[in-house]
Amino acid sequence: MTDCRVSAARDHGAYVLRLEGDVRLTMCTALDDYFSKIFADPDFVSVWVDVTEAEGLDSTTLGMLAQLAMQTKARFGFKPALFTAKPGINRLVRSMGFQQLFDVREEHCCDDSCAAEIPSIDASEGEVKDKVIAAHKALMSINERNRAEFTDLIRALETGADAQG
């Protein structure tokens, strides 16, 4: 797996978020912070998520993306687009039920050479744990398969046992 890189571009309220490499929970604070900026933008009109260059997306990252889609639908009434072009990632997003949350497009996204990298943000263990729990609860809300998959992890995290997302 390759290192992770998260970048984003904005043009007149239209956002493109690009996830590359092996994207893990270490980026959850940065993603959460960036999502807050998106939703605070009074000119917000759309968001596309491009995972065409992702090698891996851990469950925390998937949960963060689920939260983005849920908030977009609840606040603005539409599904964000999710671009995915690798068979393994395509299977992963389908298995999580992302077609319910996103307009999933199994194709390459536009060239986004003007995207700026989003740096990781240091956070306390407690802050990261809270974000991991929230991300997994979002995944669990999508379908029963996800609920069964992540119930033990959430229980362990909420009781303070050592567990990773």
Side-chain angles (χ1 to χ4, degrees), residues 24-56:
R24 303 227 153 253
L25 69 92
T26 55
M27 289 302 294
C28 70
T29 302
L31 286 171
D32 191 51
D33 183 63
Y34 192 75
F35 296 166
S36 294
K37 290 176 185 172
I38 289 173
F39 293 129
D41 181 352
D43 297 325
F44 175 84
V45 294
S46 69
V47 60
W48 290 0
V49 179
D50 178 1
V51 296
T52 58
E53 296 302 319
E55 297 295 328

Side-chain angles (χ1 to χ4, degrees), residues 116-134:
E117 187 164 351
I118 299 173
S120 64
I121 297 174
D122 290 332
S124 72
E125 184 178 330
E127 289 171 317
V128 171
K129 180 178 160 184
D130 290 345
K131 291 183 188 331
V132 169
I133 290 170

Side-chain angles (χ1 to χ4, degrees), residues 3-10 14-21 23 27 30-31 34-35 38 47-54 65 68 109-120:
D3 290 335
C4 124
R5 180 172 189 258
V6 177
S7 56
R10 175 189 179 274
Y15 289 83
V16 176
L17 182 66
R18 177 167 283 152
L19 285 67
E20 302 172 37
V23 188
M27 289 302 294
L31 286 171
Y34 192 75
F35 296 166
I38 289 173
V47 60
W48 290 0
V49 179
D50 178 1
V51 296
T52 58
E53 296 302 319
L65 294 177
L68 171 70
C109 190
C110 59
D111 177 39
D112 199 14
S113 57
C114 63
E117 187 164 351
I118 299 173
S120 64

Side-chain angles (χ1 to χ4, degrees), residues 71-127:
Q71 284 189 43
T72 301
K73 180 71 173 172
R75 295 173 72 178
F76 302 100
F78 67 89
K79 292 179 181 182
L82 178 72
F83 291 83
T84 173
K86 293 185 177 172
I89 300 293
N90 294 348
R91 281 189 301 276
L92 177 63
V93 299
R94 278 194 305 269
S95 75
M96 289 289 126
F98 271 30
Q99 64 280 7
Q100 296 172 46
L101 305 176
F102 288 93
D103 174 12
V104 178
R105 301 178 185 185
E106 293 183 5
E107 60 186 83
H108 284 277
C109 190
C110 59
D111 177 39
D112 199 14
S113 57
C114 63
E117 187 164 351
I118 299 173
S120 64
I121 297 174
D122 290 332
S124 72
E125 184 178 330
E127 289 171 317

